[in-house]
Amino acid sequence: MAILGLLNQAPMHGYELRKRVLVLLGGFRALSYGSLYPALKRMRENGWICVPDPADATRVLPADAPPLTGKRGKVVYALTAEGKERFQDLLTEGGPEAWEDERFGVRFAFFAQTEADVRLRILEGRRRRVEERRDGLRASLGRTRERLDRYTLELQQHGLDSVDREVRWLSELIDHERVDGTQIDRKKNNPPASTS
Amino acid sequence: MAILGLLNQAPMHGYELRKRVLVLLGGFRALSYGSLYPALKRMRENGWICVPDPADATRVLPADAPPLTGKRGKVVYALTAEGKERFQDLLTEGGPEAWEDERFGVRFAFFAQTEADVRLRILEGRRRRVEERRDGLRASLGRTRERLDRYTLELQQHGLDSVDREVRWLSELIDHERVDGTQIDRKKNNPPASTS
DNA sequence: TTCGTCATGTAATGGGTTACATGATTAC
DNA sequence: GTAATCATGTAACCCATTACATGACGAA
């Protein structure tokens, strides 16, 4: 999704993509080349992305052509129509896939392009998820507080504080969304315009 | 390390181990069976853990024996001498392996059994690591603040706040360690007693 | 007696990383 | 000219998950 979303903003080559993904996800850790390039290959085989001919932008290089052995240059990728469609589909998903830890970050990074109702659904789902974790942690901490050594206690407490903070953050975002949402709802009586 | 450390506290069977690991790591996510049991198998082959005969605790079941097909019971694992040694070695590690994200949590969970100087080294390494991330994030945020949409900004800001909080947490722990450390150093002029 | 949870395990699969190999371009 | 970084890719590997298969035990 990160790749599709970035290519949706502008065509670019793999190396550039890698740096952008890194920033997008908060500089936590870069995608390795051994992961990035095969992914691009697969996406190309799936027809989601293509390599426009630099000499003639109306033409697209065939999917199996350009090893360009010996002299490799930059390979600029662009989204195809299917790729855009696929990205739009991902943008519409509002189920658990969108709020579990692995994807929430990427999902959130493209919130500006996500419909208001989907945003709200994801934020609420995420909050429920994090609240569950918080309650579990709180319960376990309450049960075992006496038996734990200083460090384990410290670790669990810090973990609890962290999820607590995340819940508050999400709640603020949700409140904000609700305010914006009602404002918009009052303005438009027609279905949400698909601003593609 | 989690498995070795838990078995170092008391022998137990796989299922129990799984629950304990979950609590140890802050309830984030349980180890899957497909990961746990093969790991136990490997550790047994390595001679780190063994299965004492329930009928006669002085005897140990051979490593290849107990599929017990048809009627399987609980398989209680215990650390061997080599296993304890291996765990002690892990406890002594104070390099990057100990402060990178993947291991710091587990490492910290066994701090009560870790020497004071190793603890300090790990905490300082960890802090450096998180500070680096914070500075990178801050710089990137400063550079791109104007061009970012509300949500990306919100995400990066929240990330920055999180690492900031972690740095403060680590600093408090380090201060605390330093105070305790000097107190202990004053008391004992002899090398640190190995309180095994 | 049936449902939930305890309990152990394997096989297929997926997704990532590391290490390697190559070469272009830029800055000093 | 040479070091750093840009740039693309492959192959081997590691490690975890999912899905599956089996069965014991306690409570309703």
Side-chain angles (χ1 to χ4, degrees):
Chain A
M1 181 172 194
I3 293 176
L4 289 177
L6 287 170
L7 289 182
N8 191 46
Q9 287 163 14
M12 68 190 89
H13 59 267
Y15 195 88
E16 177 75 13
L17 215 34
R18 183 177 184 249
K19 287 189 296 184
R20 300 282 195 99
V21 171
L22 181 65
V23 174
L24 194 77
L25 278 318
F28 177 66
R29 196 178 193 156
L31 204 58
S32 69
Y33 297 121
S35 178
L36 170 66
Y37 288 110
L40 289 170
K41 199 181 179 184
R42 275 196 309 276
M43 290 169 76
R44 207 168 161 193
E45 285 159 4
N46 287 343
W48 298 344
I49 62 178
C50 63
V51 179
D53 190 326
D56 174 7
T58 64
R59 268 241 283 275
V60 156
L61 296 177
D64 53 346
L68 288 165
T69 13
K71 207 178 173 184
R72 280 183 297 198
K74 292 187 189 182
V75 181
V76 174
Y77 294 93
L79 277 199
T80 61
E82 282 123 292
K84 283 175 199 232
E85 209 179 299
R86 178 86 189 103
F87 181 59
Q88 290 306 321
D89 286 351
L90 290 170
L91 237 32
T92 318
E93 271 180 358
E97 334 80 65
W99 63 60
E100 291 300 326
D101 301 298
E102 316 85 43
R103 300 192 202 240
F104 177 72
V106 205
R107 210 59 198 61
F108 191 90
F110 293 110
F111 254 30
Q113 291 151 81
T114 305
E115 297 282 350
D117 58 323
V118 179
R119 280 199 308 252
L120 192 57
R121 209 138 22 111
I122 293 174
L123 288 173
E124 284 171 339
R126 177 70 186 164
R127 183 170 60 177
R128 268 197 308 279
R129 191 74 193 69
V130 181
E131 278 172 345
E132 267 171 43
R133 187 133 77 220
R134 181 197 57 187
D135 295 342
L137 216 47
R138 234 206 283 276
S140 123
L141 199 55
R143 250 184 287 112
T144 56
R145 185 177 304 262
E146 298 74 32
R147 274 170 292 157
L148 262 37
D149 62 275
R150 220 202 111 211
Y151 294 102
T152 312
L153 205 62
E154 195 66 63
L155 185 60
Q156 306 236 331
Q157 189 60 54
H158 182 246
L160 184 54
D161 289 350
S162 296
V163 290
D164 240 0
R165 242 186 98 252
E166 189 172 349
V167 170
R168 280 198 304 276
W169 180 64
L170 289 165
S171 293
E172 272 172 45
L173 289 170
I174 288 169
D175 288 348
H176 207 306
E177 287 293 321
R178 290 237 174 84
V179 173
D180 288 2
T182 47
Q183 282 177 349
I184 290 166
D185 278 354
R186 233 168 267 155
K187 267 192 278 185
K188 56 169 178 185
N189 294 356
N190 25 19
S194 78
T195 332
S196 127
Chain B
M1 181 173 194
I3 293 175
L4 289 176
L6 286 171
L7 290 181
N8 190 46
Q9 287 164 13
M12 67 189 90
H13 59 268
Y15 195 89
E16 176 76 13
L17 214 33
R18 183 176 184 250
K19 285 189 299 183
R20 300 282 195 98
V21 171
L22 181 65
V23 175
L24 194 77
L25 279 318
F28 177 67
R29 194 177 194 159
L31 204 59
S32 68
Y33 298 121
S35 178
L36 171 65
Y37 289 110
L40 289 171
K41 200 180 179 186
R42 275 195 309 276
M43 291 169 76
R44 207 170 162 191
E45 284 160 4
N46 287 343
W48 298 344
I49 61 178
C50 63
V51 179
D53 190 326
D56 174 5
T58 64
R59 266 240 283 274
V60 155
L61 297 178
D64 53 347
L68 288 164
T69 15
K71 206 179 176 183
R72 282 181 295 199
K74 292 187 192 184
V75 181
V76 174
Y77 294 94
L79 278 198
T80 61
E82 281 123 292
K84 283 174 199 233
E85 210 179 298
R86 178 86 190 104
F87 181 59
Q88 291 305 321
D89 286 351
L90 289 170
L91 238 30
T92 317
E93 270 180 0
E97 334 80 64
W99 64 59
E100 292 301 325
D101 301 297
E102 316 84 44
R103 301 194 200 241
F104 177 73
V106 204
R107 210 58 199 64
F108 190 91
F110 293 109
F111 255 29
Q113 291 151 82
T114 306
E115 296 283 348
D117 58 324
V118 179
R119 279 198 308 251
L120 192 57
R121 212 144 14 116
I122 293 174
L123 288 173
E124 284 170 338
R126 177 69 187 165
R127 184 171 57 177
R128 268 198 307 280
R129 191 74 194 69
V130 181
E131 278 171 345
E132 266 170 44
R133 188 132 75 218
R134 182 197 56 186
D135 296 342
L137 216 47
R138 238 209 278 279
S140 122
L141 199 54
R143 250 184 287 113
T144 56
R145 170 159 285 137
E146 298 75 32
R147 274 171 294 156
L148 262 37
D149 62 274
R150 221 203 110 210
Y151 294 102
T152 313
L153 204 64
E154 195 66 61
L155 185 61
Q156 306 236 332
Q157 189 59 53
H158 182 246
L160 184 55
D161 289 350
S162 295
V163 290
D164 239 1
R165 242 186 97 251
E166 189 170 350
V167 170
R168 281 200 302 277
W169 179 64
L170 290 165
S171 294
E172 272 173 45
L173 289 169
I174 289 169
D175 288 347
H176 207 306
E177 286 293 320
R178 289 236 175 85
V179 173
D180 288 3
T182 49
Q183 284 178 349
I184 289 166
D185 278 353
R186 233 168 266 156
K187 268 194 278 185
K188 55 170 179 185
N189 295 356
N190 24 19
S194 78
T195 331
S196 133

